[in-house]
Amino acid sequence: MRQYLEWLFQEVNFVEVRFSTSTFYLMPRVKSFDEEEVLTKAMNLFWKQGYSATSIQDLVTHLGINRASLYDTYGDKEQLFKKSFELYRRKSIEGISHLLNSHSNVKDGFYELYNKAINEALLDNDRKGCFAVNNTTELVPNDNNCLEILTSNRNAFENLFFEYLKKGQKKGQIKKSKDLKSLASLLFTIYNGMLVVSKINRNKKELNDSVKLALSLIE
Amino acid sequence: MRQYLEWLFQEVNFVEVRFSTSTFYLMPRVKSFDEEEVLTKAMNLFWKQGYSATSIQDLVTHLGINRASLYDTYGDKEQLFKKSFELYRRKSIEGISHLLNSHSNVKDGFYELYNKAINEALLDNDRKGCFAVNNTTELVPNDNNCLEILTSNRNAFENLFFEYLKKGQKKGQIKKSKDLKSLASLLFTIYNGMLVVSKINRNKKELNDSVKLALSLIE
DNA sequence: CGAATAACAGAACGAACATTCCAAATAAAA
DNA sequence: TTTTATTTGGAATGTTCGTTCTGTTATTCG
């Protein structure tokens, strides 16, 4: 009976079981930390230091939870890292999709995109750069799973850019002769370049001038 | 006398000393490995795996020299890494300077530059990317000395690009109204972006189309 | 209270880490 | 041969790594 209840609890994550004769309550102690909040902290640490340079001890110190809780909740280092990166990817693609689509003019949209990237880079005293770019340079090709994730990441971005450009082209904001596939690809390349260069070049005006020049590609 | 000779040997690296009365020969065993050749191997390993992920044992295995010889010749891990990166930087800037200046037409020059980068990226089964870009994302800002080196690296590139563009502008290949500082900066940003993206996108045609589109900035 | 279990602190594990040291082998020229 | 110094294999050192385990405390509800 006891074993059956344990199995049942694992399977359905129930809180209360009523039988015809009596009622069993199995109410364990609730989680005292927010899983996503702690995951965000892990994300920021991996983002800043990279996968290899971040030790479990670093994580234990910065996450504020116990070593055992870390392993119980997120699995080993690699799993925690992957979960961190997934969180980043989700937030990242959501934010950029929203940003672009809140500008009906394509050039405005990309201006805001690049500008936001620059502003965030310059405001970040940790100079973390972009988590996806960092992972590309650190982990490809030594980690095949990461390569897959980054490949689908690139596809997601280029498709997003492409569809956005296409909408603009239909509205007459871009010449019909433009090859939007190549343009989307180049804009993604420039985006990546900005995220690298802004770790070195902290001059806002210079970065901004580059952006303005890059936008001349869209017309 | 003995001490003086040792000092003199260190200072001038001499082989033979003749005095009025007699001749002293101090000819130790010569180095059996080529310092730069081994340093090149170290460079390739750091380049592929990054600083943190490369252990001394990895280096001992791949360099083909003894652990003690490694420390005696290059110092500790950090010094060996810095020397590796210096070698890369020197070769890199020399090669690119030569490549650009062997094309009198600016657009041709940049086309060859980007094309060479893409070809080398696609031919490299290790997908090492660019050592400088990799170091930027891995080590900035956690290593201040590396930041300095990368800052001067960026200046060297942007100046090289700028001077090359200026020469072309004088020859009438670029409109007088073009802001060459921003253009040089953007071309460097695109170069960085290409070196990141080519780790993920292995489609030569797509990369090439992006390059051609990017070159439309120069006119 | 008792039962259940999350979260904890911290010890323990073996492996890998960077680095140093030592004795033996090697090479060059007197 | 002897002298000098490089290079070597490999042991040794002490630290840090990722991971697991043990025992304690805290919290939930009947």
Side-chain angles (χ1 to χ4, degrees), chain A residues 173-186:
Chain A
Q173 294 166 4
I174 301 173
K175 274 189 245 157
K176 293 236 165 182
S177 62
K178 275 271 173 187
D179 174 10
L180 299 188
K181 279 277 177 207
S182 299
L183 184 54
S185 180
L186 178 57

Side-chain angles (χ1 to χ4, degrees), chain A residues 42-218:
Chain A
M43 178 190 79
N44 281 313
L45 201 62
F46 277 129
W47 186 357
K48 181 185 177 191
Q49 305 185 340
Y51 178 76
S52 292
T54 303
S55 68
I56 296 287
Q57 187 52 54
D58 285 340
L59 290 161
V60 169
T61 304
H62 282 83
L63 303 198
I65 64 167
N66 186 264
R67 189 181 298 267
S69 305
L70 189 158
Y71 277 91
D72 286 347
T73 311
Y74 305 101
D76 63 14
K77 186 185 174 185
E78 195 175 330
Q79 289 175 62
L80 175 56
F81 176 78
K82 295 261 151 83
K83 282 169 184 163
S84 299
F85 188 35
E86 270 317 298
L87 179 67
Y88 178 86
R89 284 232 307 134
R90 211 190 63 221
K91 299 243 174 190
S92 161
I93 203 87
E94 275 173 15
I96 287 169
S97 178
H98 177 263
L99 182 145
L100 287 183
N101 290 311
S102 65
H103 291 88
S104 59
N105 181 282
V106 179
K107 231 170 173 170
D108 289 351
F110 276 102
Y111 179 77
E112 291 303 325
L113 173 70
Y114 290 131
N115 224 255
K116 191 184 163 211
I118 289 173
N119 284 331
E120 285 178 357
L122 296 188
L123 279 172
D124 179 20
N125 289 322
D126 283 343
R127 297 205 198 189
K128 298 192 293 296
C130 167
F131 199 18
V133 171
N134 296 356
N135 291 343
T136 304
T137 56
E138 183 184 356
L139 301 171
V140 173
N142 302 309
D143 181 327
N144 278 322
N145 183 246
C146 199
L147 174 59
E148 277 179 43
I149 295 168
L150 287 164
T151 299
S152 90
N153 187 64
R154 175 188 146 251
N155 286 332
F157 267 84
E158 291 199 1
N159 285 338
L160 181 63
F161 286 7
F162 176 73
E163 294 300 332
Y164 186 60
L165 289 167
K166 208 162 77 179
K167 270 203 317 198
Q169 195 178 46
K170 276 189 184 155
K171 284 187 262 179
Q173 294 166 4
I174 301 173
K175 274 189 245 157
K176 293 236 165 182
S177 62
K178 275 271 173 187
D179 174 10
L180 299 188
K181 279 277 177 207
S182 299
L183 184 54
S185 180
L186 178 57
L187 289 171
F188 180 64
T189 298
I190 292 175
Y191 188 60
N192 278 268
M194 289 279 171
L195 295 166
V196 173
V197 170
S198 60
K199 289 189 97 172
I200 302 289
N201 187 356
R202 312 295 283 175
N203 184 316
K204 191 164 177 175
K205 192 189 171 327
E206 281 182 24
L207 293 168
N208 219 274
D209 287 345
S210 279
V211 167
K212 283 178 191 160
L213 189 53
L215 293 176
S216 70
L217 289 161
I218 310 169

